[in-house]
């Protein structure tokens, strides 16, 4: 089976109306860095943004086969990404400064995590917290 040292196997994939602008926003607000970006002009066919050892993929929402499967960006519900961070207060300050809509202020959870929840400009929900499960560690 796998080990905790292998490359990640899960890559959240998001579609945005303005993917080009969201790449800049996600880097500014959340600290992502661009690993790859493919497209023409303002249309992003595929981009990869890195956060530590993890990565998300994103592109411009289009009326193609994949777009029909995943639907339009927005507040339709059911979409959220959790990001494990070492310093939730610093992540909160950065996101707030960039204009993220704070849905839940910084909170200390009973299971030891400090976290907050926000929404990006196109409606995706992001949770940032110090709870950081490792794939190779036993659950507690």
């Amino acid at each position: 089976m796998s080990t905790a040292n292998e490359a990640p196997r899960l890559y959240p994939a998001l579609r945005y109306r303005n993917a080009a602008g969201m790449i800049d926003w996600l880097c500014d607000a959340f600290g992502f860095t661009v690993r790859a970006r493919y497209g023409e002009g303002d249309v992003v066919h595929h981009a990869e943004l890195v956060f530590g050892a993890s990565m998300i993929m994103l592109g411009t929402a289009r009326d193609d086969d994949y777009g029909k499967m995943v639907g339009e960006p927005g507040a339709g519900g059911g979409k959220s990404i959790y990001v494990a961070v070492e310093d939730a207060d610093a992540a909160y300050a950065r996101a707030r400064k960039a204009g993220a809509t704070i849905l839940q202020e910084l909170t200390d959870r009973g299971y030891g995590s400090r976290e907050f929840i926000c929404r990006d400009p196109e409606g995706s929900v992001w949770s940032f917290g110090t709870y950081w499960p490792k794939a190779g560690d036993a659950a507690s």
Side-chain angles (χ1 to χ4, degrees):
M1 193 61 181
S2 64
T3 68
N5 294 327
E6 73 181 5
R9 291 176 180 260
L10 301 176
Y11 299 91
L14 303 170
R15 287 279 179 112
Y16 287 107
R17 287 180 202 88
N18 178 6
M22 286 304 300
I23 289 170
D24 294 337
W25 192 88
L26 291 166
C27 291
D28 183 48
F30 299 157
F32 282 96
T33 57
V34 178
R35 180 181 179 279
R37 180 179 170 167
Y38 308 98
E40 301 156 5
D42 288 337
V43 176
V44 177
H45 296 295
H46 175 79
E48 298 169 359
L49 303 184
V50 175
F51 188 91
S54 300
M55 187 180 336
I56 63 170
M57 298 176 182
L58 64 93
T60 301
R62 298 184 301 281
D63 188 23
D64 58 9
D65 288 341
Y66 185 69
K68 291 173 185 162
M69 285 184 269
V70 299
E72 288 292 315
K79 299 171 287 233
S80 175
I81 296 175
Y82 180 88
V83 181
V85 296
E86 292 181 27
D87 185 344
D89 292 83
Y92 174 87
R94 184 176 188 154
R96 187 174 205 65
K97 181 179 179 187
T101 301
I102 304 300
L103 301 175
Q104 184 177 79
E105 294 290 333
L106 280 163
T107 303
D108 293 315
R109 302 284 184 204
Y111 49 87
S113 183
R114 181 159 175 78
E115 51 197 44
F116 70 96
I117 302 172
C118 64
R119 186 182 314 275
D120 71 29
E122 291 207 18
S124 295
V125 175
W126 297 78
S127 299
F128 290 81
T130 57
Y131 176 67
W132 196 338
K134 310 298 190 297
D137 294 348
S140 54

